[in-house]
Amino acid sequence: MLKLIKWDFIDYAKRSYWLYLAYAAVLAITAVLPDDIRYLSALVDGVGAVFGLLFYGYTFFLSATEPIGWLRKGSTQLELSLPVPPWKVLLSKLILAFGINVSGLLLTELLWSTIDRYGMSRITWFADLSIALEYAVCLLMLLICVMLSYIAAKSFGFTRNRAGFVTALLTLFLPTLLIGTMSTVLVIAGAWDVSSGYPDEITVLSNGSMTWFESTLGILGAVFVICAGFWASCRLFEHRFERYQAGG
């Protein structure tokens, strides 16, 4: 398993080294250049601020596509020929995608911390550990949702040739279904009070005495989604996924 993860990270580094070299160059310039050079300092800080935003956005995109991107390449058969169970292959891709996203997040904040203008150095992604954990859980659910959507699209004949469209549709539908289901449960259980006003105004208030139920449902729901999504992905990948059709 560790060798598989190592190989995935090395392969990613070979494909995306240029991105991190560009980041290192921008970071070095913004950190070394004095802040009192007229016009030039402001220009460099502005470039650094915009680059940080683009860097995080691009690494986020890479992390979202990494769990399925390898299935669209010619090297897929080589990876599938490895003597490892399918669940280890998928888990390795998830770990890589998670690492890409977190690295992009932390490196972006490091870059912004060197920029004194525009309030960039005061930006903090997470106010406390609980928010960081929430981000990690939501990110993991998103990655599994994308992976499950693509594998499901490639597992059935009537969606296989439209896998790209079906994947996008499922990626939007599954979180919407999840949010709708959990919201309904919270309303039925009395954890949320929903009232309607005029004109066409709907107010949702949290019931303070049911905070424990809301928190428990959120934790158990996240664990269920992650475990069930990964299990379903592995089952479909092992028994129904079309391995020999490129593209889509």
Side-chain angles (χ1 to χ4, degrees):
M1 184 66 191
L2 292 178
K3 290 183 178 179
L4 190 61
I5 296 173
K6 178 182 177 181
W7 187 91
D8 282 337
F9 273 93
I10 292 175
D11 178 65
Y12 170 74
K14 290 179 178 179
R15 290 185 283 114
S16 303
Y17 69 92
W18 59 269
L19 177 64
Y20 294 91
L21 287 178
Y23 169 87
V26 174
L27 177 64
I29 294 173
T30 56
V32 173
L33 189 73
D35 295 329
D36 56 356
I37 301 178
R38 189 176 184 181
Y39 300 127
L40 180 59
S41 297
L43 175 62
V44 170
D45 286 348
V47 171
V50 173
F51 180 85
L53 184 62
L54 295 176
F55 179 80
Y56 173 68
Y58 190 64
T59 53
F60 188 93
F61 172 78
L62 288 178
S63 68
T65 57
E66 194 64 34
I68 64 173
W70 67 284
L71 293 170
R72 299 163 57 87
K73 298 178 180 178
S75 59
T76 300
Q77 295 305 312
L78 176 62
E79 294 195 55
L80 292 176
S81 66
L82 297 174
V84 293
W87 70 267
K88 288 188 176 182
V89 177
L90 297 183
L91 180 59
S92 177
K93 303 302 179 184
L94 282 176
I95 293 174
L96 172 62
F98 190 86
I100 293 171
N101 189 282
V102 172
S103 70
L105 189 74
L106 297 179
L107 290 176
T108 299
E109 185 163 0
L110 175 62
L111 174 60
W112 285 348
S113 68
T114 66
I115 303 173
D116 293 330
R117 289 180 175 83
Y118 324 119
M120 303 299 293
S121 60
R122 296 191 296 272
I123 294 178
T124 302
W125 288 109
F126 308 117
D128 51 49
L129 181 60
S130 63
I131 298 178
L133 291 176
E134 288 177 6
Y135 177 86
V137 171
C138 291
L139 173 62
L140 188 55
M141 287 194 294
L142 173 63
L143 297 177
I144 288 180
C145 180
V146 173
M147 184 174 69
L148 174 60
S149 297
Y150 183 77
I151 292 178
K154 278 290 192 178
S155 296
F156 302 95
F158 59 92
T159 60
R160 191 165 291 146
N161 293 329
R162 295 175 291 274
F165 172 76
V166 174
T167 299
L169 191 64
L170 288 176
T171 301
L172 294 174
F173 172 75
L174 292 178
T176 302
L177 177 64
L178 173 64
I179 294 173
T181 301
M182 295 193 68
S183 299
T184 302
V185 172
L186 289 171
V187 171
I188 294 176
W192 284 3
D193 295 324
V194 181
S195 59
S196 58
Y198 180 84
D200 300 328
E201 184 180 273
I202 298 178
T203 303
V204 179
L205 298 175
S206 179
N207 187 343
S209 62
M210 294 287 288
T211 302
W212 65 271
F213 179 81
E214 187 176 348
S215 301
T216 303
L217 181 64
I219 295 173
L220 295 180
V223 172
F224 173 79
V225 169
I226 292 172
C227 294
F230 185 72
W231 177 83
S233 298
C234 292
R235 295 291 294 177
L236 288 173
F237 184 72
E238 186 174 3
H239 298 289
R240 296 194 60 91
F241 182 79
E242 175 54 67
R243 291 168 168 76
Y244 305 104
Q245 182 174 343

